[in-house]
């Protein structure tokens, strides 16, 4: 692991790289969560608003507060949101800018492994949600090869090159999530594993989109031309296209839900 930080400061790039993945897993997650209509939500780490918009489309909330530390991501989220139900606010997951018991539900979508102190983040969600309200999250299984196209990161490791990691990858495992939810005093805890697929039109499409992400872009920028070509060749050899040349990758997320006691 390097000391470089993973930063999401480009909303449009995030949409191409991760927004599509987020929506795919988010749809399955919301089907599993099955929330009621007309709720007040806090979307912690909303990024460019990909999951926020899914909440608006699928759950008919009365209001959503999207919280994120990135001005650029929030700007993109405000531009994409047209329904007027969501309000995007700059803030920290470990110190949410919201009053106690001010929401019906709080959610972290692909965020908990970015929180330096995950227990504090879960405690903050529990603080701002009213008794009986829902606290939920889903996260790529970072410790179990669940990250989208994890084969690319495996090939980086084989080359002996370190790549940036989020501060709390271990928080994405199901045992860790259960412990975090129980530690926050939440009840009726349930978990689920979600697997999704994404199809790219060809290898070049997959390669360009994957290298636009904050982890691999940093790694690729530090490679010589020869090493980069070796990396590309090794990745391509592990991915099998269909008859039309399309390549389908998979990803796996761990999901959890619980309820504030009361």
């Amino acid at each position: 692991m390097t000391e470089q930080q993973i930063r999401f400061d480009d909303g449009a790039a995030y949409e191409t790289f991760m927004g599509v993945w987020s929506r795919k897993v988010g749809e399955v997650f919301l089907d599993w969560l099955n929330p009621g209509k007309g709720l007040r939500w806090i979307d912690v780490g909303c990024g460019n608003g990909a999951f926020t918009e899914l909440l608006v489309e699928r759950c008919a909330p009365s209001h959503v507060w999207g919280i994120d530390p990135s001005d650029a991501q929030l700007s993109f989220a405000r531009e994409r949101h047209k329904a007027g139900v969501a309000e995007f606010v700059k803030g920290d997951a470990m110190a949410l800018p919201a009053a106690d018991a001010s929401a019906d539900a709080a959610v972290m979508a692909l965020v908990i492994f970015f929180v330096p102190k995950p227990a504090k983040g879960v405690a903050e969600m529990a603080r701002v949600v009213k008794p009986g309200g829902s606290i939920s999250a889903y996260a790529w299984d970072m410790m179990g090869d669940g990250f989208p196209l994890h084969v690319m990161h495996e090939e980086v490791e084989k080359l002996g090159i370190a790549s940036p990691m989020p501060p709390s990858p271990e928080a994405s495992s199901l045992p860790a999530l259960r412990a975090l939810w129980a530690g926050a005093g939440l009840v009726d805890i349930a978990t689920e594993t979600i697997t999704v697929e994404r199809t790219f039109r060809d290898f070049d499409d997959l390669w360009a989109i994957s290298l636009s992400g904050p982890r691999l872009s940093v790694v690729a920028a530090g490679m010589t031309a020869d090493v980069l070509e070796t990396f590309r060749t090794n990745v391509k050899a592990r991915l099998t296209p269909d008859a039309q040349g399309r390549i389908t990758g998979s990803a796996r997320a761990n999901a959890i839900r619980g309820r504030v006691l009361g």
Side-chain angles (χ1 to χ4, degrees):
M1 183 169 67
T2 74
E3 296 300 317
Q4 297 157 311
Q5 291 186 345
I6 300 172
R7 297 184 62 89
F8 291 104
D9 290 328
D10 186 330
Y14 179 89
E15 184 64 20
T16 301
F17 167 66
M18 189 57 70
V20 175
W21 285 109
S22 179
R23 186 177 183 92
K24 284 178 175 291
V25 70
E27 289 175 345
V28 180
F29 171 75
L30 286 176
D31 286 342
W32 172 71
L33 196 61
N34 192 27
K37 307 295 184 182
L39 301 180
R40 296 167 298 165
W41 287 81
I42 293 184
D43 182 6
V44 182
C46 67
N48 75 351
F51 183 75
T52 313
E53 283 298 275
L54 199 57
L55 274 177
V56 172
E57 294 169 10
R58 298 281 298 272
C59 302
S62 62
H63 195 80
V64 183
W65 289 273
I67 311 296
D68 200 85
S70 169
D71 288 319
Q73 290 277 63
L74 291 170
S75 178
F76 188 94
R78 294 184 186 110
E79 286 295 320
R80 80 186 296 166
H81 181 67
K82 306 301 181 185
V85 177
E87 176 183 357
F88 297 97
V89 181
K90 187 173 183 178
D92 187 332
M94 297 182 293
L96 294 173
D100 294 359
S102 57
D104 300 302
V107 62
M108 283 186 179
L110 305 179
V111 167
I112 199 162
F113 37 62
F114 286 115
V115 181
K117 297 180 180 179
K120 178 62 176 174
V122 179
E124 273 293 276
M125 288 198 292
R127 176 185 67 81
V128 302
V129 169
K130 69 180 186 180
S134 169
I135 308 293
S136 61
Y138 63 88
W140 300 126
D141 188 356
M142 300 292 288
M143 309 304 290
D145 297 332
F147 192 79
L149 295 165
H150 68 273
V151 297
M152 300 188 75
H153 295 281
E154 290 179 359
E155 291 304 323
V156 168
E157 292 177 6
K158 289 179 182 179
L159 290 171
I161 300 172
S163 62
M165 286 286 286
S168 306
E170 69 285 347
S172 66
S173 73
L174 283 177
L177 289 170
R178 291 190 194 100
L180 287 167
W181 260 239
L186 302 173
V187 297
D188 298 334
I189 298 169
T191 59
E192 182 73 6
T193 299
I194 301 169
T195 299
V196 294
E197 294 184 338
R198 178 180 179 181
T199 298
F200 302 83
R201 64 175 179 266
D202 54 28
F203 180 77
D204 288 341
D205 183 43
L206 178 151
W207 180 257
I209 289 173
S210 298
L211 259 65
S212 70
R215 288 179 69 192
L216 286 176
S217 63
V218 169
V219 172
M223 291 179 176
T224 64
D226 288 346
V227 172
L228 183 61
E229 184 57 33
T230 297
F231 174 41
R232 179 186 169 91
T233 299
N234 292 347
V235 171
K236 189 173 185 178
R238 293 186 59 180
L239 301 174
T240 304
D242 65 12
Q244 287 74 44
R246 298 172 301 189
I247 293 177
T248 297
S250 67
R252 185 179 63 257
N254 293 323
I256 190 165
R257 67 189 182 210
R259 184 171 56 83
V260 178
L261 185 63

